[in-house]
Amino acid sequence: MTKQALSKEAFEQALRAKEKYYHINHPFHKRMNNGECSKEEIQGWVANRLYYQIAIPVKDAAVLANCPDMKTRRKWIQRIIDHDGRDGEEGLGGIEAWLRLGEAVGLNREELLDERHLLPAVKFAVGAYVNFVRRASWEEAACSSLTEMFAPKIHQSRLDTWPDHYKWIDPEGFKYFQMRLSQARRDVEHGLAITLDHFVTREQQDKALNILQFKLDVLWCVADAICLAYEHKRVPYDGIADQSISHKGML
């Protein structure tokens, strides 16, 4: 028997209910936002999350490549500009802002960009997301972006607590979190509209919920890898070689 499709309101509510699986609820993120992480842990998180930031415009370019709708492309391309930025200081993008966060926590650009701190599991998780978007329909890719529904809360939490918990971090480094508050809300409005309009049968809606869960899995795996390496001191190839022995770049 075919299940009845959810109303748009009920479907949106089901999508938003996935927030309980967002990485804000990961034990490592809870420790971080409670001010319990060491400098090394914060640095490890920033260094590894840079790989995700760099992958975002690559992912969004794949969405554009698969999208035949001009109006959608005109809106979606702003996401690439948000992260890659424009020429000049006024064109600060998310990747540059994240690099400045790295400098604010005591890392230099060379070590951020040469992947010496990057964990193999983070590469695999981020690579799985980028490859999904390349193969998926543009509507499915848009749906996978809806973890942005939950992002403003985590960014605001960092802005509210980190200046007190981690006084050693240069406040200039918090620019990324400030930028994403408004950008994420705008992106959600667009991505959510695409998802609610495209996934209309119950089978399609269940697929959309599974796609969103996949993206949540990616973010949770990234947090797991960072937690294992920096909180529990179980870095890859421990006792054999440094983790930097792993493959370089996006394959």
Side-chain angles (χ1 to χ4, degrees):
M1 182 177 177
T2 303
K3 294 189 292 184
Q4 183 177 359
L6 300 171
S7 66
K8 279 191 175 183
E9 293 75 15
F11 182 31
E12 180 177 347
Q13 184 177 7
L15 291 166
R16 291 187 180 278
K18 289 285 187 180
E19 183 176 9
K20 63 184 175 182
Y21 305 116
Y22 191 52
H23 60 181
I24 193 174
N25 298 309
H26 191 282
F28 185 84
H29 279 269
K30 288 183 177 180
R31 290 183 62 249
M32 190 160 52
N33 287 340
N34 287 335
E36 299 168 4
C37 281
S38 66
K39 183 175 183 178
E40 182 186 21
E41 288 173 303
I42 296 292
Q43 289 178 331
W45 177 76
V46 171
N48 278 273
R49 284 283 299 190
L50 173 64
Y51 192 72
Y52 178 76
Q53 305 304 325
I54 290 173
I56 290 174
V58 176
K59 175 267 297 183
D60 287 323
V63 176
L64 292 178
N66 292 332
C67 180
D69 182 68
M70 181 175 63
K71 290 183 179 179
T72 298
R73 294 197 304 267
R74 283 174 173 170
K75 286 187 177 181
W76 203 273
I77 198 171
Q78 184 60 47
R79 296 171 182 245
I80 296 177
I81 295 169
D82 286 344
H83 281 83
D84 282 345
R86 296 182 184 273
D87 291 338
E89 181 66 23
E90 69 282 357
L92 179 67
I95 294 173
E96 174 61 26
W98 197 271
L99 287 167
R100 294 183 186 188
L101 172 62
E103 291 173 329
V105 302
L107 301 170
N108 62 59
R109 290 187 176 230
E110 180 183 0
E111 63 183 310
L112 284 164
L113 293 169
D114 68 8
E115 300 187 5
R116 74 183 67 172
H117 301 300
L118 187 54
L119 301 167
V122 172
K123 292 191 206 179
F124 280 114
V126 173
Y129 179 43
V130 173
N131 286 326
F132 166 79
V133 172
R134 285 172 173 158
R135 298 191 309 268
S137 70
W138 68 271
E139 296 96 341
E140 291 170 343
C143 175
S144 73
S145 75
L146 288 181
T147 49
E148 292 283 8
M149 290 189 295
F150 320 128
K153 182 177 179 180
I154 202 170
H155 296 321
Q156 189 62 60
S157 176
R158 291 166 186 152
L159 290 169
D160 290 342
T161 63
W162 280 32
D164 290 330
H165 290 327
Y166 305 110
K167 296 182 185 297
W168 53 271
I169 299 179
D170 185 341
E172 288 297 314
F174 300 143
K175 180 66 175 178
Y176 176 86
F177 307 135
Q178 295 166 346
M179 291 166 52
R180 290 304 297 165
L181 284 175
S182 59
Q183 292 172 354
R185 293 187 179 101
R186 180 207 62 213
D187 292 347
V188 165
E189 182 178 349
H190 187 210
L192 186 59
I194 292 170
T195 301
L196 296 178
D197 287 342
H198 178 75
F199 297 88
V200 294
T201 69
R202 185 59 180 273
E203 182 180 9
Q204 290 172 332
Q205 291 169 340
D206 287 344
K207 183 175 185 178
L209 290 165
N210 193 49
I211 289 170
L212 180 54
Q213 184 61 54
F214 160 73
K215 176 63 181 306
L216 291 162
D217 291 348
V218 166
L219 296 175
W220 199 272
C221 286
V222 168
D224 274 345
I226 296 170
C227 178
L228 185 63
Y230 291 96
E231 180 180 351
H232 298 291
K233 309 299 182 183
R234 297 292 299 275
V235 297
Y237 307 110
D238 189 27
I240 301 172
D242 187 82
Q243 65 263 29
S244 63
I245 198 70
S246 64
H247 67 281
K248 298 291 184 183
M250 296 182 187
L251 301 181

